[in-house]
Amino acid sequence: MAGDCEKKPVLEMMQADGGDEGCVTYVLHNEDHTLGNSLRYLVMKDVDVEFCGYSITHPSESKINFRIQTRGGIPATEPLRTGLTQLNHVCQHVLNTFQARVDEFKGNQDQSME
Amino acid sequence: MKRLGDKMAAPMSIVEEIRTRVILQEFGVKNVHTTDYPGNYPGYDDAWNMADFKKNFRIDIVDMDENTMEFDMVGIDASIANAFRRILLAEVPTMAVEKVFIYNNTSIVQDEILAHRLGLVPIKADPRLFEYRNEGEDDEEGSEIDTIKLQLKVKCSRNPRATKDSADPRELYLNHMVYSKDMKWVPIGNQADVFADINIGPVHGDILLAQLRPGQELDIVMHCVKGIGQDHAKFSPVATASYRLLPEISLLETVEGEKAERLRGCFSRGVMELEDRDGRKFAKVVNSRLDTCSREVLRHEDLKNLVKLARVRDHFIFTVESSGVLPPDVLVTEAIKVLMTKCSRFLNELNTSNME
């Protein structure tokens, strides 16, 4: 599932077990703890996930090995997709809340200046 | 155990404490990691619930001015708060001097040292209006959409009107100190129209770049490009961005008199006060947010069992200080957008590879 051969792959899948779709290690290129830890937290919050972890293979290479093991034969791309979508929604909510509070704060400041 | 905490009236159960507090002890810190994953605690449903998150999450802006801001983020996990902090430091793009063309440098500052210093000067240009420069295509010319051209041309000369026996260089020489305000913008292409009302240049004009003496001159052209802090620290838009967890100090027993005085002295000023009741002074925790958690109280044998030092695990007090390129609230919104871009990129990759 790598990208084209001409393009640099962004996400690769290394399947450790032969037939089991539920235990997969993904290689995410150009990523580090920033996305790795936050994605790991949200994937772990999924009930179907038995194991989730990430590691940085070598500090000189900017890629992470992200492993997901699921229960009940669910393919591992499902919790990964859910985790990414939920992280997106969390960020959207944080962004909306933050912008609303900043506008409120600036409004209060202007009021007290008058 | 009877507790007289500042906020908690009822004691917290052990399980609640493990789930929500980081305990500061004399020889270590306990309960640091998040443990509330589904299945860890019987009786708790810890699966991710977006509605609960939205209900518990809040942001409070404590202070904001044009360069610094302090705000609280409550109800989020450390991994996501840390992701925002890391992105603020290293992945929000800015413009900075990248290529320095030195046509003449007769000062005593070496070329590479001067070029290094020029790169570190923050440039006041909104990086969202520029594109990244493609590597290796044109080495000399940058286009108007991805490059800002600056020029530094200073020549030092002797001041003809100085008095005979003065020794002050400020009187003897003209232009002997080269400041960042001498970096002048040279518009390329349509930049003169697009940025007509904004003055593109260094954020601060009083950064000393080099010192000259009569006869020495600098003739330098600089190209600024867009970059991120991961590549070079000169591209970092924040002076710094950091967070700390909200401290929580609870008294385990009533403390009065001289002990109360000493207990108050163990914490930062304003954390603990003495209240007067029937002529006797009792210690009371007033504002644990001000504490710097030095754990001084744990150094005293008779005081260390009277208080419980903890931090609230999901309450982050962020302090963001901008280097002047963009206001701090804009930097935080850009950082959140960067994280969203990362997620979308991998989601697209997953979806396109599935369709193959």
Side-chain angles (χ1 to χ4, degrees):
Chain A
M1 316 303 134
D4 300 342
C5 290
E6 298 96 0
K7 203 170 46 156
K8 268 197 302 235
V10 161
L11 167 65
E12 284 171 30
M13 198 156 88
M14 288 161 23
Q15 222 150 346
D17 299 15
D20 187 1
E21 284 268 319
C23 301
V24 177
T25 301
Y26 295 93
V27 180
L28 277 62
H29 288 269
N30 290 332
E31 289 303 331
D32 55 4
H33 302 285
T34 307
L35 185 68
N37 200 15
S38 39
L39 188 57
R40 177 202 61 89
Y41 168 75
L42 280 166
V43 173
M44 278 291 283
K45 283 288 214 180
D46 192 334
V47 186
D48 302 318
V49 167
E50 186 186 41
F51 173 87
C52 174
Y54 79 100
S55 73
I56 297 188
T57 45
H58 192 280
S60 311
E61 296 179 330
S62 65
K63 65 179 187 181
I64 59 173
N65 279 4
F66 196 90
R67 180 162 180 88
I68 300 180
Q69 282 175 210
T70 55
R71 283 202 303 237
I74 297 169
T77 50
E78 286 313 306
L80 181 64
R81 191 172 282 136
T82 320
L84 284 165
T85 325
Q86 280 167 348
L87 186 54
N88 224 346
H89 290 167
V90 167
C91 290
Q92 187 64 57
H93 180 69
V94 173
L95 186 62
N96 295 343
T97 318
F98 183 76
Q99 278 172 336
R101 301 297 271 152
V102 166
D103 293 335
E104 199 184 301
F105 186 85
K106 284 186 177 159
N108 286 345
Q109 254 189 346
D110 289 336
Q111 260 183 3
S112 60
M113 295 248 275
E114 282 161 24
Chain B
M1 223 178 346
K2 196 155 75 130
R3 296 184 191 190
L4 293 176
D6 53 335
K7 285 179 181 72
M8 301 184 299
M12 203 190 260
S13 74
I14 311 274
V15 174
E16 272 306 304
E17 194 178 89
I18 298 178
R19 281 169 66 91
T20 61
R21 299 287 190 267
V22 176
I23 313 289
L24 306 175
Q25 295 174 317
E26 191 174 347
F27 296 112
V29 187
K30 253 176 32 169
N31 299 339
V32 178
H33 298 288
T34 320
T35 48
D36 51 351
Y37 298 113
N40 270 356
Y41 294 95
Y44 282 89
D45 174 26
D46 286 325
W48 178 256
N49 187 332
M50 194 67 193
D52 278 351
F53 166 73
K54 286 190 180 171
K55 195 160 58 112
N56 293 329
F57 180 73
R58 68 167 206 272
I59 293 187
D60 299 319
I61 312 235
V62 172
D63 195 15
M64 182 161 79
D65 62 34
E66 55 191 45
N67 280 329
T68 324
M69 108 180 265
E70 185 181 329
F71 66 96
D72 285 13
M73 217 186 259
V74 186
I76 200 171
D77 186 61
S79 51
I80 306 177
N82 194 33
F84 292 142
R85 183 194 63 90
R86 288 173 66 98
I87 295 176
L88 273 168
L89 285 172
E91 295 188 58
V92 178
T94 52
M95 307 293 290
V97 173
E98 175 91 354
K99 287 203 171 24
V100 177
F101 300 97
I102 304 184
Y103 293 107
N104 194 0
N105 174 18
T106 41
S107 74
I108 55 165
V109 181
Q110 295 89 341
D111 288 347
E112 62 269 21
I113 307 291
L114 185 57
H116 181 237
R117 290 173 73 83
L118 289 168
L120 293 172
V121 172
I123 306 290
K124 193 176 191 63
D126 192 335
R128 296 169 291 182
L129 303 172
F130 291 89
E131 308 274 327
Y132 286 100
R133 186 145 155 190
N134 286 326
E135 277 304 303
E137 280 179 16
D138 311 81
D139 259 341
E140 288 289 320
E141 286 312 310
S143 71
E144 62 208 9
I145 196 66
D146 57 27
T147 310
I148 295 175
K149 199 161 136 181
L150 297 167
Q151 191 185 41
L152 180 62
K153 216 170 149 73
V154 181
K155 190 168 161 66
C156 177
S157 51
R158 205 173 284 277
N159 186 1
R161 282 184 282 172
T163 55
K164 269 258 187 85
D165 25 311
S166 77
D168 184 4
R170 277 169 297 182
E171 225 193 283
L172 283 174
Y173 314 121
L174 298 170
N175 293 336
H176 67 291
M177 308 263 256
V178 180
Y179 291 100
S180 53
K181 68 174 171 353
D182 300 322
M183 288 163 71
K184 303 276 186 276
W185 176 43
V186 178
I188 317 173
N190 68 348
Q191 283 179 351
D193 312 308
V194 175
F195 301 109
D197 44 349
I198 321 164
N199 256 340
I200 292 192
V203 176
H204 307 283
D206 52 357
I207 302 175
L208 181 63
L209 296 168
Q211 289 198 34
L212 304 173
R213 284 296 180 266
Q216 296 178 344
E217 70 174 294
L218 289 177
D219 187 359
I220 295 175
V221 167
M222 294 160 267
H223 285 185
C224 304
V225 298
K226 184 168 165 176
I228 54 176
Q230 236 176 26
D231 179 23
H232 193 288
K234 69 189 176 190
F235 293 114
S236 183
V238 289
T240 197
S242 63
Y243 67 74
R244 60 190 180 105
L245 270 59
L246 180 75
E248 190 183 61
I249 301 161
S250 21
L251 289 170
L252 302 175
E253 301 168 7
T254 44
V255 187
E256 60 171 317
E258 182 262 341
K259 257 195 182 175
E261 292 264 357
R262 280 196 301 133
L263 192 63
R264 184 178 66 160
C266 287
F267 294 98
S268 312
R269 207 172 313 184
V271 173
M272 210 171 256
E273 292 299 340
L274 301 175
E275 70 175 341
D276 223 330
R277 261 189 273 153
D278 315 321
R280 296 190 297 171
K281 292 197 184 299
F282 290 89
K284 185 166 122 95
V285 179
V286 171
N287 189 357
S288 45
R289 186 197 169 95
L290 299 169
D291 193 33
T292 49
C293 291
S294 61
R295 291 187 270 169
E296 167 70 21
V297 66
L298 301 177
R299 290 180 61 218
H300 303 271
E301 283 302 321
D302 54 338
L303 298 178
K304 70 180 179 188
N305 295 320
L306 303 176
V307 287
K308 188 179 180 64
L309 302 174
R311 286 194 192 261
V312 182
R313 206 190 284 132
D314 62 351
H315 186 136
F316 299 91
I317 303 171
F318 272 85
T319 309
V320 178
E321 182 179 340
S322 161
S323 64
V325 180
L326 290 168
D329 53 302
V330 175
L331 288 176
V332 177
T333 46
E334 286 302 307
I336 303 174
K337 288 180 193 165
V338 166
L339 188 54
M340 279 170 38
T341 314
K342 280 184 198 267
C343 295
S344 325
R345 187 157 54 98
F346 284 107
L347 273 172
N348 283 342
E349 193 67 30
L350 260 183
N351 289 337
T352 51
S353 67
N354 264 358
M355 289 198 266
E356 277 168 22

